[in-house]
């Protein structure tokens, strides 16, 4: 599975409060959450998502209060992949994130973990997602994965 897009670049400590501000936590509508994603950090985020589908960030992406609204807002905005120096309680690929700039074109092979910066020609290798995570991605998220499990398809 490959993901390729221009990049939206952010710095360190992008927390869940700027991913989706608390004033919007009273909705579970994915489109509504997407319309407010990153608005306090980047007022042009919504427009950037029209052509860019990868976020590259610095250290500690997704820190702050634990809220399921943040990844929903990011996904509903059209973002297909987040690469960061480090994630709050998730995974890391520091070398790649540090070398990717805003607007760079990036291709990522989720099966092998190879990240290619098409703009600079640099290539990085991260740990590939384990098979069960690849399956979750392939079916469109954890909710679809669970539905398939219950239906006996997964």
């Amino acid at each position: 599975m490959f993901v390729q897009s221009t990049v939206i670049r952010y710095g360190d400590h992008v927390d869940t409060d700027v991913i989706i501000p608390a004033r919007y936590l009273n909705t579970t509508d994915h489109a509504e959450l997407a319309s407010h994603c990153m608005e306090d950090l980047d007022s042009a985020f919504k427009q950037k998502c029209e052509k860019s589908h990868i976020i590259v960030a610095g250290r500690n992406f997704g820190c702050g209060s634990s809220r399921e609204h943040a990844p929903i807002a990011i996904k509903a905005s059209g973002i297909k992949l987040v690469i960061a120096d480090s994630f709050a309680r998730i995974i890391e690929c520091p070398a790649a994130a540090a070398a990717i700039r805003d607007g760079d074109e990036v291709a990522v092979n989720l099966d092998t973990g190879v990240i290619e910066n098409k703009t600079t020609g640099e290539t990085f290798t991260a740990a590939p997602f384990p098979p069960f995570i690849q399956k979750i991605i392939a079916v469109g998220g954890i909710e679809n994965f669970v539905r398939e499990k219950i239906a006996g398809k997964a």
Side-chain angles (χ1 to χ4, degrees):
M1 183 182 324
F2 286 89
V3 178
Q4 182 171 335
S5 174
T6 54
V7 166
I8 303 170
R9 182 76 162 111
Y10 296 113
D12 295 338
H13 311 294
V14 175
D15 65 45
T16 55
D17 294 324
V18 297
I19 294 171
I20 187 66
R23 62 188 172 273
Y24 302 113
L25 297 181
N26 59 346
T27 184
T28 57
D29 180 79
H30 293 195
E32 179 71 12
L33 291 169
S35 72
H36 299 291
C37 188
M38 302 288 197
E39 72 180 20
D40 289 349
L41 176 66
D42 182 356
S43 62
F45 179 75
K46 196 163 131 179
Q47 291 74 33
K48 290 177 181 178
C49 288
E50 292 173 10
K51 70 171 194 152
S52 299
H53 304 290
I54 298 174
I55 291 175
V56 176
R59 296 183 319 257
N60 207 21
F61 185 87
C63 61
S65 56
S66 178
R67 56 178 71 153
E68 66 277 6
H69 295 74
I72 291 169
I74 291 170
K75 183 178 178 187
S77 295
I79 297 299
K80 308 249 182 269
L81 182 66
V82 177
I83 301 169
D85 286 338
S86 65
F87 291 84
R89 302 176 309 269
I90 307 176
I91 57 172
E92 297 184 5
C93 183
I100 299 171
R101 297 175 309 274
D102 193 37
D104 283 358
E105 180 82 12
V106 174
V108 181
N109 183 325
L110 300 178
D111 298 326
T112 64
V114 173
I115 302 167
E116 181 184 358
N117 186 329
K118 298 283 195 175
T119 304
T120 66
E122 293 177 279
T123 301
F124 307 92
T125 303
F129 290 117
F132 81 96
I133 296 291
Q134 291 183 32
K135 174 70 173 165
I136 290 169
I137 293 167
V139 299
I142 191 72
E143 290 176 16
N144 291 339
F145 180 79
V146 170
R147 282 187 194 103
E148 286 192 7
K149 278 285 215 195
I150 291 169
K153 296 179 186 176

